[in-house]
Amino acid sequence: MSRREYKTINRRIQQGRIASIREGKWIASTAPYGYQRIKIINDKGYTLQIIPEQAEIIRLIFQLYLYGEQQTDGAFKRLGRQAICKKLDDMGIMPATSNKWSPSTIKDILQNPVYIGKVCWGKTIEKKVMIQGKTKKVRMKNSNFQMYHGLHTPIIEEDIF
């Protein structure tokens, strides 16, 4: 009986999380770079608020990736993820959780729809697979994830994204 009750409670919690995502609320414990998590006034849940200094860095990353930096002859040279990391490190800009920027961090920033004002659910799924005769749970990317309009202000315009 307790196992059945646990499953019922867990199902209700998961339905509540999905309902919050549909409303555009932020349910994760940490905010992505450029945002801070704040409590919604007169309502349950959280949303994201822009940190202006970090938002400028996000805009710079997108600008360097799309257009590049201006050369001495006036032309623009596009930069890859590794070159963006090196430029940010040389400028003395620190990432949120480490000492240096990494290409995977830049890739995650460039692919994160939260910067255009969206919230996502189900980007990764967990599947059970047989590996050497044992059942293991493996996390995989899901191409059919759900995306909703968030309550937060976007940093990047959708056409740039």
Side-chain angles (χ1 to χ4, degrees), residues 70-75:
Q70 195 167 12
Q71 303 297 307
T72 55
D73 62 352

Side-chain angles (χ1 to χ4, degrees), residues 12-25 27 121 146 148:
R12 283 190 197 127
I13 289 171
Q14 296 305 320
Q15 289 171 350
R17 293 178 77 198
I18 292 170
S20 290
I21 287 286
R22 286 187 179 132
E23 293 172 9
K25 296 177 182 173
I27 65 167
W121 180 258
Q146 300 168 353
Y148 301 101

Side-chain angles (χ1 to χ4, degrees), residues 19-160:
S20 290
I21 287 286
R22 286 187 179 132
E23 293 172 9
K25 296 177 182 173
W26 185 256
I27 65 167
S29 60
T30 59
Y33 189 81
Y35 287 104
Q36 65 181 354
R37 191 178 95 147
I38 60 165
K39 180 86 172 96
I40 299 173
I41 300 169
N42 298 327
D43 196 8
K44 292 182 182 178
Y46 294 88
T47 189
L48 299 174
Q49 182 179 30
I50 293 176
I51 301 172
E53 300 84 25
Q54 292 182 359
E56 286 304 315
I57 296 165
I58 294 295
R59 290 184 189 103
L60 175 66
I61 290 170
F62 274 88
Q63 179 184 358
L64 290 173
Y65 189 76
L66 286 176
Y67 308 114
E69 64 180 341
Q70 195 167 12
Q71 303 297 307
T72 55
D73 62 352
F76 283 89
K77 179 185 175 196
R78 287 184 59 196
L79 300 179
R81 296 187 314 220
Q82 185 68 43
I84 293 172
C85 293
K86 184 169 178 1
K87 180 153 183 74
L88 292 173
D89 288 336
D90 292 345
M91 291 171 67
I93 298 170
M94 297 287 288
T97 57
S98 67
N99 297 331
K100 293 180 4 176
W101 289 90
S102 69
S104 61
T105 303
I106 300 297
K107 180 186 121 216
D108 291 343
I109 287 173
L110 292 170
Q111 293 178 347
N112 194 348
V114 77
Y115 295 115
I116 57 170
K118 306 287 185 188
V119 289
C120 299
W121 180 258
K123 283 180 96 171
T124 59
I125 55 174
E126 199 172 77
K127 283 191 172 184
K128 292 181 181 178
V129 295
M130 290 290 283
I131 299 175
Q132 297 177 350
K134 294 183 180 179
T135 305
K136 289 192 175 186
K137 292 181 181 178
V138 178
R139 299 191 83 189
M140 306 171 82
K141 290 193 180 222
N142 182 12
S143 59
N144 297 326
F145 61 89
Q146 300 168 353
M147 192 174 345
Y148 301 101
H149 184 69
L151 297 175
H152 60 281
T153 308
I155 294 177
I156 303 295
E157 294 83 31
E158 200 160 343
D159 57 334
I160 291 175

